[in-house]
Structures are given as C-alpha cells and as structure tokens.
C-alpha cells in the first residue's frame, strides 16, 4: 500500500483544479477485481479461529449435537451465534483481537447484539468486551437488522421483505423510460430488475398468487408503454422472443 496514491481532478466550465498526490493508507480499491480476493484472504483466518473455539450454538437432532455454528461470514458481514451471553462476548473478543491484528476496525454503529429464548428476544445486559474500543449497542426486541439484504429479528420478516415487489416494479418503470429498443428492454428487465426478487428466492415465502400479481403489473406497464398489445395472451410476456413472446423471465 505504500505505492497506492491518487490524484483528484475537479473541472467546470471556467476552472480546473488538480490536487497533489494523495496517499491511500487504508481500505480497498472499489471496482478492482483483485481487491475483494485480497480482502477475503486477509479475513479468512477468522473463520478458522471462530470454528476452533466450539463456543457457537449447537444444532441438535434428537438431543444429539450435530453441528456447532459460531458464525455466518460473507465478505465483511458477520453474524455471531452463541448459546449464552458469556460465550457470545468471548466470540466478540476473538473478532476484536483478530481485527486489531490485521488493522481493521469494527463498524460499531452498525453492530448490535441480542439475546433470545423460545418466547421472546431480550436485551443483553452483560458487561461489554473491551469497553475502551467502543460499545456494541443492545438491539431492541422489535428492532430489525439487515444481514445480506434480508430484514430479520428473531425470524426473517417475510412480510417486510415482500416490499421488494415495489422495488422491482420501480426498476421496471425506470427501464421502460430509457428509450431502449424492445430486445434491450427485455434484457435490462431480466438482468437488472428480476434479480431484485430472485435474490430472495429460497429465503422469503413467495406464493404463486403474489408472483402472478407482480407479472400482471409488468404487463400493464409494458402495455402503457406500447411494448405489449393489450389483447395479448398472458403467456406472451414470458414466451421466448423466438416464439413471438417478449422474453421476460418467468418469475414463478
């Protein structure tokens, strides 16, 4: 990183400003294909450290422990699991120590901790690990948190996550305003809008009626933008273009 530097240019109609060389001392390059790999290589030992502790939550089958799960980790998003407050704080301390070693900082403003039993979530009142480094706030019983884009608390909030329908429809509206030709409109919907919904498949409980309603809204939008005839068969929206359809991915 001693070689990492950048120069910033700012230009308007009358003037142009250029800074001197600015040294980059921390972080990773956004949009650089090698940087995520470097990041994963740096963080990957944390997986082994947590796994070897056996401090995690035991998943049982017929009262026999089958798996010990201390964490979920994806890039820089981590969720810690423990059977009690004391073990959770030990896991937090392991993460803190490791991040100190690789010169990485907790995003404490985004961190929360929560204790729950079979009845209801409860706040963790135990002493914080390493108070000097900052405090991880308690999560309120009805507060939501987002992990990999999915809103959850004690359980995944399926009703809240189904608001993705509005986000999907909004994407389709924006695409239809671009002035692209028919083929590229379809391509844009399939590659930009459809993943908004399909990202949640297998996690959120979608039913056929809900997905049919979303497809109906897409048909109406395409009809209003002269991309689909009002008297077209319902199936034409998802039929391949080679068979006279519009080729929009079938959400069901």
């Amino acid at each position: 990183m001693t070689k990492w530097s950048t120069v910033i240019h700012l230009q308007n109609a009358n003037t142009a400003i250029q800074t001197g060389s600015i040294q980059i001392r921390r972080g990773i390059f956004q949009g650089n294909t090698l940087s995520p790999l470097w990041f994963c290589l740096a963080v990957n030992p944390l997986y082994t450290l947590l796994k070897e502790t056996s401090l995690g939550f035991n998943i049982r089958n017929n009262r026999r422990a089958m798996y010990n799960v201390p964490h979920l980790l994806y890039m820089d998003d981590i969720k810690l699991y423990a059977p009690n407050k004391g073990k959770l704080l030990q896991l937090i301390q392991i993460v803190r120590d490791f991040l100190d070693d690789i010169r990485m900082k907790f995003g404490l403003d985004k961190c929360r901790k929560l204790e729950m039993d079979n009845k209801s979530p409860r706040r963790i009142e135990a002493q914080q690990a390493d108070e000097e480094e900052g405090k991880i706030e308690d999560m309120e019983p009805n507060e939501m948190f987002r992990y990999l884009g999915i809103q959850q608390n004690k359980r995944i909030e399926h009703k809240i996550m189904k608001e993705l329908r509005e986000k999907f429809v909004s994407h389709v509206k924006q695409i239809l305003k671009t002035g692209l030709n028919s083929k590229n409109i379809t391509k844009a919907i399939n590659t930009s809008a459809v993943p908004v919904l399909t990202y949640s498949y297998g996690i959120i409980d979608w039913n056929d009626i809900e997905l049919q309603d979303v497809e109906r809204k897409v048909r109406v939008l395409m009809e209003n933008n002269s991309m689909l005839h009002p008297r077209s068969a319902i199936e034409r929206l998802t039929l391949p273009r080679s068979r006279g359809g519009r080729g929009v991915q079938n959400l069901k």
Side-chain angles (χ1 to χ4, degrees), residues 31-32 60-61 65 85-86 112-113 172 250:
N32 176 273
R60 301 179 183 277
N61 183 21
K85 294 179 286 189
R112 294 291 184 274
K113 63 186 193 306
V172 174
N250 189 318

Side-chain angles (χ1 to χ4, degrees), residues 3-117:
K3 305 287 186 182
W4 289 9
S5 64
T6 188
V7 174
I8 297 176
H9 301 267
L10 180 63
Q11 187 171 353
N12 60 26
N14 302 316
T15 35
I17 302 171
Q18 178 177 315
T19 68
S21 179
I22 300 173
Q23 193 71 29
I24 299 173
R25 295 191 175 93
R26 60 184 296 174
I28 62 174
F29 284 130
Q30 297 293 319
N32 176 273
T33 55
L34 205 52
S35 289
L37 177 60
W38 284 343
F39 181 86
C40 289
L41 287 171
V43 175
N44 196 52
L46 179 60
Y47 170 87
T48 305
L49 284 173
L50 293 172
K51 193 71 176 176
E52 289 178 348
T53 63
S54 298
L55 294 170
F57 186 83
N58 284 322
I59 296 177
R60 301 179 183 277
N61 183 21
N62 294 327
R63 299 185 178 181
R64 184 167 63 92
M66 301 292 290
Y67 304 99
N68 184 267
V69 182
H71 72 290
L72 294 177
L73 175 62
Y74 182 81
M75 297 297 290
D76 62 343
D77 279 349
I78 187 167
K79 190 194 293 189
L80 300 175
Y81 293 97
N84 55 56
K85 294 179 286 189
K87 290 186 176 181
L88 177 62
L89 294 176
Q90 288 183 60
L91 290 174
I92 292 173
Q93 189 61 53
I94 290 170
V95 176
R96 283 184 186 274
D97 292 342
F98 176 80
L99 295 186
D100 285 343
D101 288 343
I102 65 171
R103 306 280 185 93
M104 185 175 167
K105 297 294 183 184
F106 254 100
L108 288 174
D109 58 323
K110 299 179 181 178
C111 294
R112 294 291 184 274
K113 63 186 193 306
L114 181 70
E115 180 187 14
M116 58 180 68
D117 56 25

Side-chain angles (χ1 to χ4, degrees), residues 143-198:
E143 183 183 354
M144 295 291 108
F145 71 92
R146 186 184 297 272
Y147 182 72
L148 301 184
I150 303 297
Q151 291 274 15
Q152 49 199 281
N153 186 291
K154 186 179 179 182
R155 298 179 177 86
I156 291 173
E157 294 295 328
H158 295 269
K159 186 175 181 180
I160 293 175
M161 286 307 301
K162 287 182 179 181
E163 293 174 0
L164 287 172
R165 284 175 294 191
E166 284 69 36
K167 188 176 180 181
F168 167 80
V169 171
S170 175
H171 274 52
V172 174
K173 287 180 180 178
Q174 292 174 11
I175 291 169
L176 290 171
K177 291 177 181 177
T178 58
L180 293 170
N181 63 34
S182 176
K183 181 178 180 180
N184 286 326
I185 285 281
T186 297
K187 187 174 181 180
I189 291 173
N190 288 340
T191 57
S192 177
V194 169
V196 171
L197 283 181
T198 56

